[in-house]
């Protein structure tokens, strides 16, 4: 997802005759702060920050540099006057969970990551709201793992052994959803007959997994374009919240038309 998001930003930047300088911090707030200082020293025109954290070191660096900044995929809660581009994570999670409920599922696990990631917390909230509205229980149904496929696979294997009545998984990222498909195959659970699986983000690979993964598509190209437009054309302090789209594929519906 982040690679596709970076490519979208690069496309928007180059279409305006600018050059993109890229730094990958791998979720390390200290490295993010170091990059900000380094980019500011290069006298860049602006900085797009793709971060999911409200870390003190990152906040301090944003306040310290004299360069326009836009947050992409996250709206920081403790930095005033900073623009951001996000999606409606709650509505996206509600829609995909509602899709699983409409298919008749009653025990739906939610694959989440760390509680400090705002976008994931919003998706969990959307899943909880939909489950409660349908009168379904959520106790013990939240599965915590990091965002790698291997971790999601291991976590789902453990969850299904402890709670075999689970018939569906709403993963908060596509990587976790793809990991869930691996776990289902290892346990001999047919997807979607024995276990329906959905993801979130809409990375290109979800169309080619076996079976293709139902997902919540983020408008990645538009997100990149909006971030660059806010950076170059708009005054600071603007916020864009973009809609998502439910993309239904065989991992939830099989060969049934939808």
């Amino acid at each position: 997802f982040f690679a596709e998001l970076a490519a979208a930003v690069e496309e928007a930047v180059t279409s305006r005759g600018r050059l993109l300088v890229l730094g990958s911090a791998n979720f390390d707030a200290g490295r993010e702060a170091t990059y900000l200082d380094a980019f500011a020293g290069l006298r860049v025109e602006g900085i797009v920050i793709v971060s999911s954290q409200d870390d003190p070191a990152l906040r301090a660096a944003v306040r310290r540099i004299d360069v326009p900044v836009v947050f992409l995929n996250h709206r920081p809660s403790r930095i005033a006057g900073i623009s951001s581009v996000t999606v409606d994570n709650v509505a996206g999670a509600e829609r995909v969970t509602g899709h699983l409920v409409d298919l008749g599922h009653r025990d739906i696990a939610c694959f989440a990551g760390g509680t400090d990631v705002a976008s994931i917390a919003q998706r969990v909230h959307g899943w909880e709201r939909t489950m409660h509205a349908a009168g379904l229980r959520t106790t013990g149904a939240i599965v915590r793992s990091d965002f790698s496929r291997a971790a999601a696979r291991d976590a789902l294997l453990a969850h299904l052994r402890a709670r075999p009545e689970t018939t569906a998984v709403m993963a908060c990222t596509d990587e976790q959803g793809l990991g869930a498909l691996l776990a289902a195959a290892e346990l001999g659970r047919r997807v979607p007959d024995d276990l329906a699986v959905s993801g979130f983000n809409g990375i290109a690979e979800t169309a080619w997994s076996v079976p293709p993964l139902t997902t919540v598509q983020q408008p990645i190209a538009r997100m990149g374009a909006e971030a660059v437009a806010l950076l170059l054309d708009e005054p600071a302090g603007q916020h864009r919240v973009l809609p998502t789209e439910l993309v239904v594929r065989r991992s939830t519906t099989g060969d049934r038309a939808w």
Side-chain angles (χ1 to χ4, degrees):
F1 169 68
F2 291 107
E4 293 183 19
L5 203 54
V9 173
E10 182 176 29
E11 178 65 27
V13 166
T14 55
S15 71
R16 289 168 171 260
R18 269 83 165 182
L19 176 68
L20 179 69
V21 181
L22 183 67
S24 176
N26 197 29
F27 301 105
D28 184 324
R31 285 175 63 185
E32 290 174 344
T34 299
Y35 274 125
L36 287 184
D37 288 330
F39 290 155
L42 293 173
R43 296 179 176 241
V44 296
E45 192 171 352
I47 299 175
V48 176
I49 300 175
V50 182
S51 177
S52 300
Q53 306 175 82
D54 264 340
D55 186 88
L58 181 60
R59 293 198 301 270
V62 170
R63 295 187 182 105
R64 183 169 60 245
I65 63 174
D66 187 24
V67 178
V69 167
V70 171
F71 274 81
L72 178 55
N73 196 49
H74 174 60
R75 178 176 177 176
S77 60
R78 304 180 190 178
I79 310 176
I82 297 294
S83 297
S84 66
V85 178
T86 61
V87 300
D88 193 338
N89 287 293
V90 174
E94 287 177 333
R95 190 170 182 192
V96 70
T97 306
H99 166 66
L100 295 171
V101 171
D102 289 344
L103 289 170
H105 296 285
R106 294 297 176 263
D107 197 310
I108 304 170
C110 175
F111 258 68
T115 56
D116 59 336
V117 180
S119 59
I120 299 302
Q122 291 161 4
R123 294 170 196 179
V124 173
H125 181 56
W127 165 81
E128 286 178 325
R129 280 178 45 166
T130 305
M131 294 287 282
H132 292 158
L136 303 176
R137 65 174 181 162
T138 58
T139 303
I142 296 178
V143 183
R144 297 285 180 190
S145 77
D146 69 31
F147 300 116
S148 70
R149 295 182 200 185
R153 168 197 165 274
D154 292 346
L156 184 57
L157 288 173
H159 180 78
L160 290 177
R161 287 167 180 148
R163 192 162 167 163
E165 64 271 24
T166 299
T167 63
V169 171
M170 195 286 281
C172 285
T173 70
D174 288 333
E175 288 291 333
Q176 291 173 314
L178 293 169
L181 293 180
L182 295 174
E186 187 167 330
L187 290 175
R189 289 212 179 191
R190 299 167 300 165
V191 177
D193 296 336
D194 302 324
L195 184 74
V197 179
S198 67
F200 202 116
N201 285 335
I203 64 174
E205 189 178 348
T206 57
W208 305 104
S209 60
V210 181
L213 185 67
T214 291
T215 188
V216 177
Q217 176 72 60
Q218 297 200 56
I220 295 174
R222 184 180 170 190
M223 291 168 71
E226 290 273 1
V228 173
L230 284 177
L231 196 64
L232 299 179
D233 302 334
E234 301 288 341
Q238 308 296 308
H239 303 288
R240 302 283 188 270
V241 180
L242 306 182
T244 60
E245 177 187 0
L246 176 63
V247 180
V248 176
R249 298 194 179 108
R250 288 171 50 208
S251 70
T252 56
T253 62
D255 294 326
R256 288 175 288 178
W258 187 259

